[in-house]
Amino acid sequence: GDSVTQMEGPVTLSEEAFLTINCTYTATGYPSLFWYVQYPGEGLQLLLKATKADDKGSNKGFEATYRKETTSFHLEKGSVQVSDSAVYFCALFSGGYNKLIFGAGTRLAVHP
Amino acid sequence: DAGVIQSPRHEVTEMGQEVTLRCKPISGHDYLFWYRQTMMRGLELLIYFNNNVPIDDSGMPEDRFSAKMPNASFSTLKIQPSEPRDSAVYFCASSLAGLAGASVEQYFGPGTRLTVT
């Protein structure tokens, strides 16, 4: 079935470091891909999305490119801040199952 | 807009008791979702509604769980009887486009942290 695999956390970085969180997926067809972020004590909120191959989603300095050839949607940010500390979820919209399928989440901790 | 509202934010109950979680979706949204989040299983979709009608409840773990949506502005998730393994954070989310389109965005509530002792 459709699935999403994320790199295990926690990821610990110093402020202004470069961030990459890997995400790969398995799906039939061409799913839409998403990154959601969960700040402590809150629900998930959409960070960015891409709906077709080679699309780049971006928001708040974060970027991810839909790579069909490698079935990946890695999240990147050039310079992280302490306020970026959160759990990041990669997700796909599965047409076959007609629902969003989430990865396990990756916790990011940024230190001053 | 106030966003998706959930109550209570925290619930502690004893095994065997009935638990009711509540959700008020964003006004005008026609899809509503219930999720459960645990360390072991991650984020799981339990059930979703479209225009107050349950569409897919395949994620509901067992008959002890039930969900209703009596009107467009209110939904409940009930567990009866509750068990320690039900301890989790339960999220409600709502959306406009729902699951039918590629550009879907779900808006999540802050969650209810349930502890069953």
Side-chain angles (χ1 to χ4, degrees):
Chain A
D2 295 359
S3 65
V4 175
T5 302
Q6 290 181 235
M7 64 187 288
E8 286 190 22
V11 174
T12 304
L13 296 173
S14 297
E15 207 165 23
E16 300 183 2
F18 184 86
L19 168 70
T20 299
I21 300 178
N22 290 338
C23 171
T24 58
Y25 67 89
T26 301
T28 55
Y30 305 98
S32 293
L33 302 173
F34 306 83
W35 277 100
Y36 278 79
V37 59
Q38 184 179 27
Y39 298 104
E42 298 183 11
L44 281 71
Q45 53 186 275
L46 181 65
L47 181 60
L48 54 83
K49 65 184 179 186
T51 58
K52 60 183 187 297
D54 300 324
D55 267 2
K56 177 185 286 188
S58 61
N59 186 26
K60 300 181 181 179
F62 291 89
E63 294 183 340
T65 301
Y66 190 143
R67 300 290 188 196
K68 178 172 172 290
E69 63 276 12
T70 54
T71 62
S72 65
F73 193 55
H74 304 322
L75 182 68
E76 297 181 335
K77 186 175 186 182
S79 176
V80 293
Q81 305 300 311
V82 172
S83 58
D84 293 327
S85 298
V87 181
Y88 292 82
F89 292 87
C90 185
L92 66 84
F93 174 66
S94 170
Y97 294 95
N98 201 29
K99 62 185 180 183
L100 275 175
I101 295 176
F102 288 89
T106 302
R107 183 175 300 278
L108 170 66
V110 181
H111 300 287
Chain B
D1 199 316
V4 176
I5 299 172
Q6 293 187 245
S7 64
R9 292 294 308 274
H10 302 273
E11 177 79 40
V12 180
T13 190
E14 292 183 349
M15 182 173 63
Q17 296 299 306
E18 177 179 297
V19 175
T20 299
L21 311 181
R22 297 172 176 80
C23 174
K24 176 178 169 58
I26 292 173
S27 178
H29 282 191
D30 50 4
Y31 281 80
L32 183 139
F33 310 86
W34 282 101
Y35 289 89
R36 179 172 66 176
Q37 185 179 40
T38 62
M39 289 295 293
M40 290 297 295
R41 300 176 67 89
L43 196 63
E44 305 172 276
L45 176 65
L46 300 178
I47 184 172
Y48 77 90
F49 296 81
N50 177 216
N51 292 324
N52 314 336
V53 176
I55 302 301
D56 183 355
D57 65 355
S58 60
M60 296 286 262
E62 46 196 280
D63 291 346
R64 297 185 297 106
F65 286 69
S66 63
K68 294 182 180 179
M69 193 166 185
N71 56 63
S73 59
F74 184 66
S75 177
T76 60
L77 178 67
K78 185 177 295 186
I79 308 172
Q80 166 63 19
S82 58
E83 297 183 2
R85 58 195 170 115
D86 301 331
S87 298
V89 180
Y90 291 82
F91 289 103
C92 176
S94 69
S95 73
L96 267 174
L99 301 181
S103 299
V104 59
E105 175 176 357
Q106 295 184 18
Y107 294 81
F108 282 73
T112 296
R113 181 174 295 277
L114 173 65
T115 303
V116 183
T117 60

